[in-house]
Amino acid sequence: MWRSLTVLVAVSLLLLTGCSTPSTLERRHGYLVDHSHGAPSHGSRVRHLVIHYTSSGEARSLATLTGPHVSAHYVLPLPARRHDGEPLIYQLVDESRRAWHAGASAWRGRTHLNDTSIGIEIVNHGPDRSFAQVEAALEAAPEVALPIHWAPYPEAQIDALIRLARDIIERHGIHPTDVVAHSDIAPSRKIDPGPAFPWRTLYEAGIGVWPEAASVARYRARFAEVAPDTATLQRALAAWGYPIEISGEPNTPTRDVLRAFQMRFRPADYRGQPDAETAAILWALLERYHPEALEALTNHD
């Protein structure tokens, strides 16, 4: 009797759904969804990969990131761990969901990057002082190197990050220029992952961007003679992706953006001051990854 009833239910479902089979049906709360007609015209909503540090130890980081106010898709533990010979990574939010990691943010004309990004938090203490103290040190002694110690990123942790980032980038088709630091997309609020983060190592592993040395040298020689004025530098920073107003004034927001750029591409000196080397790196990046933006910048000049 029960077998006959089961067959009858299956036949009824087939009649209700045309050529659908039970394996294509999903029962939800009060209705059925038929997955037998899949559309090929779609793509990932994810356009950005954002790298953060937690600025605290693992237990506190996880408590914060699993609380009611902030989250991330992935967390890389410290110390780095392995399971069955592979790096262990925590996933807190499904990639299809919007994690709350970017906050007020912008990159290349897009805003609210929580909507279009995957966030990776790396357990790392960052600098040996608060963000406010880093800011105060920059303002108090902008002409000298800062005596700030930044926590290192262990090799095993970076190995785990490289594996994770490669996978995310491949699955979502993220452009190299859209692999960004939290400080890139919120330069006046954030400084993570900081100047100790090994961006060049990631680039050499096929993740993100880096300028060509010959191009940097060529532009450095050019700008040693005539440096770009503030408005031109601001336009170049905006062309690279930073949210910056073209004011022509060397104001605090411009310093914040320069600091973010230098932390990533010239970490030996991240005081946020314009100089020939910083401009050379920026122009070399535009030449390599956004030549159309560099051409527009040149035509504007």
Side-chain angles (χ1 to χ4, degrees):
M1 176 180 176
W2 287 108
R3 181 168 183 173
S4 299
L5 183 60
T6 301
V7 171
L8 180 61
V9 170
V11 170
S12 299
L13 286 171
L14 286 171
L15 290 174
L16 285 170
T17 60
C19 59
S20 302
T21 64
S23 63
T24 67
L25 297 174
E26 177 190 353
R27 184 176 296 279
R28 295 183 183 170
H29 298 290
Y31 62 98
L32 289 174
V33 174
D34 184 351
H35 294 282
S36 62
H37 303 285
S41 50
H42 60 83
S44 174
R45 295 179 182 179
V46 175
R47 294 176 176 269
H48 309 92
L49 179 60
V50 184
I51 309 296
H52 309 252
Y53 63 48
T54 61
S55 74
S56 59
E58 183 175 317
R60 182 177 175 184
S61 298
L62 288 171
T64 300
L65 291 166
T66 56
H69 303 298
V70 64
S71 60
H73 294 91
Y74 296 97
V75 175
L76 273 60
L78 183 69
R81 311 196 253 294
R82 302 180 79 87
H83 182 74
D84 290 338
E86 302 289 349
L88 178 68
I89 297 166
Y90 301 128
Q91 182 167 10
L92 309 187
V93 177
D94 190 88
E95 289 184 12
S96 66
R97 305 289 290 176
R98 179 179 181 272
W100 302 344
H101 63 97
S105 52
W107 186 250
R108 290 190 61 78
R110 289 184 176 270
T111 58
H112 306 291
L113 295 193
N114 280 339
D115 297 344
T116 58
S117 66
I118 289 176
I120 300 176
E121 289 274 3
I122 306 172
V123 177
N124 178 282
H125 283 279
D128 60 355
R129 62 195 71 192
S130 69
F131 175 77
Q133 290 171 327
V134 171
E135 290 276 87
L138 282 167
E139 293 177 7
E143 73 286 349
V144 299
L146 296 173
I148 298 174
H149 172 73
W150 295 78
Y153 291 87
E155 184 177 342
Q157 206 178 38
I158 296 303
D159 174 60
L161 173 62
I162 287 171
R163 297 182 189 215
L164 173 62
R166 279 175 172 168
D167 178 45
I168 292 170
I169 290 165
E170 181 178 355
R171 285 188 287 102
H172 294 284
I174 297 173
H175 193 272
T177 59
D178 290 325
V179 179
V180 292
H182 198 187
S183 54
D184 287 328
I185 62 174
S188 292
R189 297 190 304 111
K190 298 294 179 180
I191 53 175
D192 56 311
F197 185 75
W199 284 107
R200 185 164 186 170
T201 299
L202 262 65
Y203 165 73
E204 291 169 350
I207 300 163
V209 298
W210 201 257
E212 293 181 330
S215 295
V216 173
R218 174 164 42 85
Y219 282 112
R220 188 190 296 114
R222 168 182 162 183
F223 294 139
E225 295 183 3
V226 181
D229 60 32
T230 300
T232 301
L233 182 61
Q234 289 170 334
R235 281 193 289 270
L237 290 165
W240 180 243
Y242 287 102
I244 184 172
E245 179 184 355
I246 314 305
S247 66
E249 299 295 328
N251 49 26
T252 298
T254 300
R255 185 208 65 186
D256 294 342
V257 168
L258 283 169
R259 177 187 61 202
F261 182 83
Q262 290 165 348
M263 280 187 173
R264 180 164 178 179
F265 295 108
R266 208 270 306 278
D269 181 355
Y270 54 88
R271 293 169 295 153
Q273 301 300 309
D275 54 46
E277 184 177 30
T278 299
I281 294 169
L282 176 57
W283 260 251
L285 285 166
L286 288 170
E287 180 180 83
R288 185 172 191 182
Y289 297 101
H290 294 303
E292 74 293 341
L294 182 60
E295 182 179 357
L297 185 67
T298 302
N299 291 337
H300 187 280
D301 295 340

